[in-house]
Amino acid sequence: KVGFLFMSSSKVIIPPADLPITLNGAKQFLQVSGNDEDALINFFIEAATSECEQKMQRALMPRTVRDTMASWDNAYMHRWCPVAMLTHIKYYNTDNVLTELATDQYWSYIHEEYGLDAIKLRTGVTFPEVYDRPDAIQITYVAGYGTAGTIPYEILAAIQLKTRHKYDFRTDEAAGNRQSPLSIASDRLLLPYINYMYTTGL
């Protein structure tokens, strides 16, 4: 078969080393001066960051991701953007042995905004046959912005707002719903950055 690759599942195999919002930055925004709630605030930063990333389907701090699929059919669309670097493509051959696809067998296209836009076989190359298993093809790449300083300010502001929301309403379930002004403002800031390819059902 000749064509593009189709992603069926995705997993972060090396998580980000840092958060896009520092503890001190969050405490300034929350107007908290003491250290008694540092662990709690850090937890809220992590939760807010994850919520924003899931909503956008956009990776913020760099992490290594592995997308897997059962066959070479259709078009591959990476799960997380932006993609900084394609690490490798591997597949289980007909003997069920994990094998790397040589880099001279395909092209990878890096979109300025979304990162990895497509992976396409070079002219005259055909996909090798694979073993019958759901993770027969593995595409590993680094997704995320280079540093927190390169993340758009609107996204950073949205994380701060969601952190504030979680901090303010931690003991008030009714007031802490998604329709609070803080959540509404945060979601509006994220709108231009949503990757709609993978938001259905979220």
Side-chain angles (χ1 to χ4, degrees):
K1 295 179 180 179
V2 180
F4 293 83
L5 312 182
F6 178 72
M7 191 280 298
S8 59
S9 65
S10 184
K11 180 180 181 180
V12 175
I13 58 175
I14 302 179
D18 300 299
L19 291 167
I21 300 295
T22 65
L23 176 62
N24 287 335
K27 288 171 69 174
Q28 282 186 326
F29 188 76
L30 297 172
Q31 297 179 311
V32 174
S33 57
N35 300 323
D36 293 345
E37 296 183 312
D38 281 5
L40 181 64
I41 293 171
N42 223 40
F43 172 76
F44 288 149
I45 298 171
E46 292 179 10
T49 299
S50 178
E51 185 178 340
C52 289
E53 288 186 328
Q54 292 293 332
K55 183 175 182 62
M56 296 183 293
Q57 285 300 296
R58 182 178 291 264
L60 298 180
M61 301 304 288
R63 79 285 315 271
T64 300
V65 181
R66 178 172 296 150
D67 292 348
T68 61
M69 54 194 176
S71 72
W72 301 106
D73 296 337
N74 300 318
Y76 168 77
M77 294 295 295
H78 59 284
R79 180 74 181 191
W80 294 98
C81 66
V83 174
M85 177 181 66
L86 175 65
T87 305
H88 56 251
I89 300 174
K90 293 184 178 181
Y91 64 96
Y92 285 93
N93 64 22
T94 52
D95 294 322
N96 202 24
V97 176
L98 190 61
T99 307
E100 184 166 355
L101 186 66
T103 56
D104 63 0
Q105 302 291 295
Y106 60 89
W107 294 96
S108 59
Y109 300 86
I110 305 296
H111 189 279
E112 182 178 350
E113 169 65 12
Y114 293 103
L116 188 59
D117 193 47
I119 299 171
K120 190 178 187 301
L121 290 179
R122 292 176 183 266
T123 302
V125 177
T126 58
F127 285 126
E129 293 186 26
V130 297
Y131 197 79
D132 184 14
R133 51 185 293 167
D135 60 346
I137 296 112
Q138 302 180 356
I139 301 173
T140 305
Y141 57 94
V142 177
Y145 295 86
T147 63
T150 60
I151 297 173
Y153 291 135
E154 295 92 339
I155 296 177
L156 296 176
I159 296 172
Q160 290 280 33
L161 288 169
K162 286 192 182 294
T163 302
R164 181 71 192 234
H165 167 83
K166 296 177 189 304
Y167 181 84
D168 286 353
F169 299 117
R170 56 188 144 162
T171 59
D172 191 339
E173 183 177 351
N177 61 56
R178 287 180 54 85
Q179 299 306 311
S180 76
L182 290 168
S183 283
I184 292 172
S186 176
D187 289 346
R188 286 177 178 171
L189 286 169
L190 297 177
L191 280 175
Y193 300 98
I194 293 176
N195 177 9
Y196 288 98
M197 181 66 67
Y198 292 114
T199 53
T200 301
L202 292 179

